[in-house]
Amino acid sequence: MTALLDVRDLTVAFETPRGRTEVVRDVSFELAPGASLGIVGESGSGKSMTSLAVMDLLPPGATRRGSIRLAGTELTTLPPREMRKVRGARVAMIFQDPLSCLNPYYTVGLQISEAYRAHRPRATRREARRAAVEAMERVHIPHAAERVDHYPHQFSGGMRQRVMIAMALSGEPELLIADEPTTALDVTVQKQILDLIAEIRRDTGAGLVMITHDLAVVSEIADDVLVMQHGDVVEQGGAEQVFSRPRHPYTRRLLEAVPRIDDPLVGPGGAR
Amino acid sequence: MRATGLVKEFGGGGLRRRRPFRAVDDVSFAIPRGQTLALVGESGSGKSTTARMAAHLVEPTAGRIELEGEDVTRLRAEALARFRSRVQVVFQDPFSSLNPRHSVEQIVTAPLRYQGRRVPGGERAFTRALMERVGLDPDHSRRLPRQFSGGQAQRIGIARALAVDPSVVICDEAVSALDVSVQAQVIELLVRLQAEQQLSYLFIAHDLAVVRQIAQQVAVMSQGRVVESGPREQVFDAPQHEYTRALLGAVPRIPAEWDAARRAMVEQQTVQEEMA
Amino acid sequence: MALSSGVDLEPSARAGHRDPAPAGGPGRRAVLRVLRSDIAVVLSAGYIALVLLAAVAAPLLVQVSGWGPYDFDQAAIDPNLGGLPVGWGGGISAEHWFGVEPGSGRDIFARIVYGARVSMTVALAATALTTVIAVVMGLLAGYHGGVVDLVISRVMDFLMAFPALIFMIAVLSALPAENRQLLLVVVIAVFGWPYLARVVRSQTISLTQREFVEAARASGAGGWTIVFREVLPNLRSTLVVMTTLAVPGYIGTEAGLSFLGVGVIPPTPSWGQMIASSVSWYAVDPAYFLIPSVCLFLLVLSFTVLGDRLRTITDSGELR
Amino acid sequence: MLRYMGVRLLGMVVVLFLVSLFTFVIFFVLSPDPAVQICGKNCTPERIDQIRGTLGLDQPFWTQFGQFLSGVVAGRTYADGQVCPAPCLGYSFQNSLPVWDMLVDRLPVSATVAVGAAVLWLLAGVAGGLLSALKEGTWWDRGAMVLALGGISVPNYVLALVLQYVLVVQLQVLPFPQAVDFADGPGQWFANYLMPWVVLSFLYASLYARLTRANVIDTLGENYVRTARAKGLPGWLVIRRHALRPALTPVATIFAMDFAGLLGGALITETVFGLNGIGKLAADSITQNDQPVIMAVTLLAAFFVIVGNIVVDLLYGWLDPRVRTAR
Amino acid sequence: GGGGGGGGAGTGAGAGATSLTDEPAQGGTVSVLLNADFSYLDPQRGFDGGVNNFYRLVYRTLTTAAPGNAEDPSAMVPDLATDLGTVSEDGLTWTFTLKEGVAFDDGTPITSADVRHGISRAWDPALGIGSPYAKQVIDAPEDYEGPYRSGELETIETPDDQTIVFHLKEPFPDFPAVLGQPNTVPFPVGTGEGEEFLTDIIASGPYDLAEYQPGQSLSLVRNEAWDQSTDEVRTAKPDAWEFTFGLDGATIDERLLAGQGADVNAIGGAVQSATVARLQTPQVQQRVFEPQGVCTTYMGLNTTKEPLGDVRVRQAINLAIDKTAVQNASGGTQLATVATTILPPSIAGHVDYDLYPRDVEKARALLEEAGVGDGFELVLDIRSQPKMQAQAEAVQQSLAEVGIDVSLNVIDTSTYYETIGTTTQQNDAAITGWCPDWASSASTFIPPLFYGPNIVEKGNSNLAQIDDPEINAAIEEAQLITDRAEANQAWGELDQLVMSKAPVVPLLVETGLTVVGENVTGLHASPGAATGGIDYVLVGLRDPEAG
Ligand SMILES: Nc1ncnc2c1ncn2[C@@H]1O[C@H](COP(=O)(O)OP(=O)(O)OP(=O)(O)O)[C@@H](O)[C@H]1O
Ligand SMILES: Nc1ncnc2c1ncn2[C@@H]1O[C@H](COP(=O)(O)OP(=O)(O)OP(=O)(O)O)[C@@H](O)[C@H]1O
Ligand SMILES: [Mg+2]
Ligand SMILES: [Mg+2]
């Protein structure tokens, strides 16, 4: 069985007036169909660039090298027109900051149905709208039929993130890439969203690449873990293995630093 | 520091006679000397507003604040300056809370200058000493905030708070914006300083795991009210209020057995290294 | 909590592009460094410097060239051709480097350098005055908000509702002509400050919401201290950019008003006045028309390029 | 909404009142005696007094201002029995014609100049800016931006004369601009107005090109554009729907202001080309110290600017859902 | 009188070349390109060279200035009247008879009552802002306020429809010239109140108003009621006239030079200095017309200011000013001639002389003598108008040579005359010009400028504020001379007398060189009706179909 996503030696570099800086170096990983991968690492370690490289959505000035295969298809050499058909339909992406990722000028309904119609040229406007309402219901947005005509700013942070997910789902993708989908949210809301993603994966069997800097989140959601530092993959493996037997010192330090809610309490003020 | 029945209302009045919005509703707390009180709760629950009232940055609509037994709810000029030298604030975003156009030296001596006090030992020496205390390279005293990393910048903020030798430091999400490892360093610094100087902290956070590490007392806020408060153990181990339970339940956790296994491994390795 | 110290995990230390610049005003040096590497900027700055130099050294230059800005040279013009300069290019010769003015034979080089004085003085003084008013008003409105903001904002609306050019001309032509230069500066500033003040105000509002203002208050700073010690320094780059962009506007305004006949009083030359008197000659004595026009165009262009580049640099983080 | 409009309209009346008061003060206090001017070459003091009486110039300041205002609203009857129906802006000192008629007479020319220039600069500026943004960094982009810089720096009277010399005097491809009617033949009309349009729109086109370019580049970097791409939308749709709308909204609002400003007359362009619009009327009346006309033109121009302001607000509310739904 | 100096026609030198004085053909439309609109269509209000010339196309008066092609163009000739009137023995009563067949545009015959109605409008306080002479000369009740308030003026008698009798306050030998002023145009009894004639015309001349857009354009068409046989002044060859206003001076020149399309039928005003150089090609030369200058540009020296009260200082200034520089500043030899006398050559009575040829040494000596050898400061009032500024700069520059420091006080064009005409506001000196109201004598030239009793606080035209008994007496004497030749001689002598006291510095006579479309002909200068410019009533086209 071929891997759903197979990334080999991916390198992303920026060409700046001061020369070339590699922000992702020789990253390789594999994701089986229906499996989930967590990418962790601190801010600036190249997590987002890796995911954007997969989508071919790197910012101007960035170049990528290496191979990215989606269910056997090589994406790096795909003509733009074909790549467009991959985006949204086969691989969908959820971004971190849902407010800035939704266009403030259009209703959420339009933005969802736009995603729906992008890959169904025959779909009528009405069908797309119905699909949008359905998608919103699927992500548990109350009164979806009404709220489909609202603008992004009229939604709360958690709701917006749901809208983003609904949008990602409307193409029925095989692979979902979530780039820090809960960083901006409260713990309680974060939990709802994570539960929602889990529920959806259960329903659709889509693969998931989850990017975050919160190791605890990864430990709850991912089958495999990829730890990045300075653009390099320093450690990868099954979640249990990485968390219980970290090999790289960096991974260890990270795990050390994560505050834990269940740790035995140390004395007041920390008697260290 | 002790606060009783704090209320803050926003808006309202005016021509339209809108009903005011109660951001903080009857909040009371007490911070014993040398201890930390953590204020937790979801976004918008009124934590910052409470902190700002405690720091005398907004006037409370009602309620009373005492500092070492003295009523400090309403202060004017001189008394306010004295208050400022006893209560300081560390803000959430290190970069936004440091004036990007001022050097470290200007920033950390500002409280003294603004309060019209002499800088003991001259600006340069004073700054160097402070920077050393918070673990920054004293040679960087002429740099601007943007030449520092987030963690370093937050240390500058802490240094500024310490410049006037306060007895209470209010930390409004002082570590929330930082990466885990940096966060850990800053927390360590705060704890060390507390031990050294008998500081009291009003520590605001939404991350319960962080709170658990630093606070002796915890108050949980929701929609402007304190729904539960008490010693750390009590709140975390035996939460009474529904909301506190929901909050605790939502915290993502690394499975305990993985952690245990890792610790065991690390310990083993350390032993091995020591032996070697 | 066992945190291994000595590990440098600072994110931006890794990011590589925040390598510390030398202490003491790194911002300014970085700006200068970027500017120096830009050919358009170098040329613009060079031209501005040249004009400034010419303006300052006008009396000396005129000594060298041999003709003052007011000296008539009847020999250089042809009375039978409407006073057209004798010779090629509007009378360009070793004696008159830029030719002479038709009708009077006055030396254009001398008038250009003396005209630069007026143009630069008016534009720079107007900019300075505008900036001072705008900064004070903008800071007050932005920081205090409420009634102060309301009043200042309405005054700005009111001034901006005026058809400024029409009104400037009307006022200038109605007022007595003595001390025109001062009057020009005042009138330009009165109608010009709201445009800058608006920017200052909105920046102040957004700066005031930044935590460092709150931090300053927590440190014990009062209103004025915050406004002038904390907020104002942060407006520096905005002000530098805005004023650099305002200067060409005011140079143009002075020239335009002089062109419309309400500028400086004769026989004082200004570039706008020179263009105005040359327009009717453009067909027979193109040099007379082109020399001041090109000088003015280049000056405005230079300031615009400079301001533009400054803005791009300060906006886009090219500094890093 | 109605309430909001009411407040805005009231604000507009207040600003207009202040503008007229200010203008009136300036000319009342600073200006020389118009009666002497009207009196002409062979004037006697008695005649001057007579003229003053007729025009009400002997009244105290506030009375005169009051008469002026009530004239605008309700019309006015002069001391010599002459009736000036509302909106009465008085009579020109220069030729005794009703100022209102003079304005109405001139407005078509100014409007033609303004509308034509606006169309031109929108086309050239927005299209040029858009192309530049999409081809950022290419020679096309650089060329367009250099041209735009030039457009901002060249005084329009210089441009006007150069164009006239080249196109009319030397090449003779265009006539000397005259305010011909559209009815006199569209071709004629177009040829006559073309140069004023170009001259007037050059600066604006340059500014708009730069603005559009910067805005489009900014929006193309917005996260929501990336989202749109991530959905798999075709490139043109991403640009048209997700980049252009947000990028052009500020342009549209600025346009409303600029256009309103021009309706009050393009002073220099009209003067240079001798087109009898409001701007030229302003220039002429200033040289003739024709106070009622200056007053009226100032008010008219202020009126357009203020209306433009309101239109901008409405437009903004209409174009930007964040503002629209907030109200 | 020495009227016809200066030559009326253009060059027409080339062999077989057409002349600008060729007789025009019948028909076509003449177009006139102008900088500014006419002041008023109502001849009772308008009173300046430009509009007076225009009035003759649409209005007729009892008498009028001779057409430009007349033997003596500065003379007066009868127009609606059969002759120049009969004066009574005491010089106080003038009787005129109307021609037969003259009519208004609707065909109604013009009667003596209509003439009286037109003239009596001058007394209306709101209307009578034009020519002042009728009111000054014709006897009227003290409280008379025009026909609309006080009824028709009874002191003008109309014994029958053809006869009209005027009674004067005092004898006025130039009275026929007064009746040639535009404010004596007849109007049907009962018309013309208030604003009526601001945008409308009741024509008595060969043309009638077709369309008028104030400040923009005006067109005339034939007045069918006008009968050529009653009119010896106007040839009225074109069928229509098209006036365009608001054009920039340079643009007018460009259009006339280019002569594209309808511009072959166009005429304009004096060219800009910058255009002179472009008139030199032979093709253009043929189209250049040189009218006569009838206005003197001079600098008044305010004799009430020190040290200008001293005649030696004034003489020194006269000697020191480089008039050639002033001439060059005004466009050189083609656009202006240096003036050494007060009266320009085309005015009856002019005598050539020069009391003050430039002599800087002598000027210095005089100043020394007057005790101001170290120089002094002098404020010169000028208009904010480019040409006058250039002239002033030339004056400033040449006076600097004798140590006089001139500072220019630029006054807005609109308020210039008011300022310098107010004795309290007037500074040391002012540059201005003076044109006669009729060319047939200097009686409207020298008295307004130099007659002491004429000094008024406001609206003063005696800028020197000279009140010299000798001059005053000579003026009073000259005004009463009825014989024209004798009077002209007296004015000529007065000119020299005045200049010996140097109250003014005559600077220039500007000639108003102009270029016309190639199809335009019938060009004659008219010192009387058009301040020396092209006399409209004779202009026409060579080929009515062209353009
Ligand atoms: N446009 C750009 N030009 C140059 N460098 C860039 C650009 N965008 C990103 N980078 C750099 O690329 C590196 C990787 O960025 P990336 O966004 O992938 O980090 P990340 O791991 O997603 O961080 P975060 O957790 O903050 O989202 C960073 O060091 C960043 O500074
Ligand atoms: N100046 C103000 N005017 C009006 N409302 C305000 C103001 N400041 C705060 N609020 C409101 O008061 C409530 C409490 O705000 P506060 O900042 O104290 O919350 P918080 O618990 O600190 O939230 P967060 O975790 O997001 O910082 C919020 O609903 C906020 O919108
Ligand atoms: Mg990222
Ligand atoms: Mg907060």
Side-chain angles (χ1 to χ4, degrees), chain B residues 10-11 21 23 41-50 92 172-173 206:
Chain B
F10 286 114
F21 168 69
E42 64 189 341
S43 183
S45 56
K47 306 183 296 287
S48 295
T49 308
T50 307
Q92 164 167 10
D172 188 356
E173 314 241 16
H206 58 250

Side-chain angles (χ1 to χ4, degrees), chain A residues 14 16 21 23-24 41-50 59-60 96 179-180 211 213, chain C residues 15 17:
Chain A
F14 277 96
T16 63
T21 38
V23 296
V24 173
E42 280 168 349
S43 189
S45 54
K47 307 182 298 287
S48 298
M49 290 302 143
T50 306
Q96 168 177 358
D179 187 358
E180 314 214 23
I211 294 166
H213 57 247
Chain C
H17 53 228

Side-chain angles (χ1 to χ4, degrees), chain A residues 193-203 221:
Chain A
I193 298 289
L194 292 179
D195 289 349
L196 175 67
I197 293 178
E199 179 193 324
I200 283 161
R201 286 188 56 221
R202 229 181 10 253
D203 293 353
I221 205 166

Side-chain angles (χ1 to χ4, degrees), chain E residues 432-476:
Chain E
T432 182
W434 193 263
C435 312
D437 294 320
W438 49 84
S440 53
S441 94
S443 65
T444 59
F445 214 112
I446 291 180
L449 300 190
F450 305 106
Y451 187 53
N454 265 358
I455 302 172
V456 284
E457 201 194 314
K458 270 180 179 279
N460 178 36
S461 54
N462 183 343
L463 293 188
Q465 294 195 42
I466 188 162
D467 189 2
D468 184 277
E470 198 183 341
I471 297 177
N472 293 350
I475 287 175
E476 281 158 23

Side-chain angles (χ1 to χ4, degrees), chain C residues 70 74 79-80 82 106 266-267 280 284, chain E residues 274 278 325 328 331-333 393 397:
Chain C
Y70 309 122
Q74 304 284 337
N80 295 321
R106 288 186 293 202
S280 58
V284 282
Chain E
R278 301 167 71 186
N328 287 340
T333 52
E393 286 168 1
Q397 201 59 28

Side-chain angles (χ1 to χ4, degrees), chain E residues 17-25 520-524 538-542:
Chain E
T18 53
S19 157
L20 290 175
T21 50
D22 288 344
E23 186 75 6
V520 180
T521 184
L523 298 171
H524 301 272
L538 303 174
V539 176
L541 303 178
R542 295 176 201 280

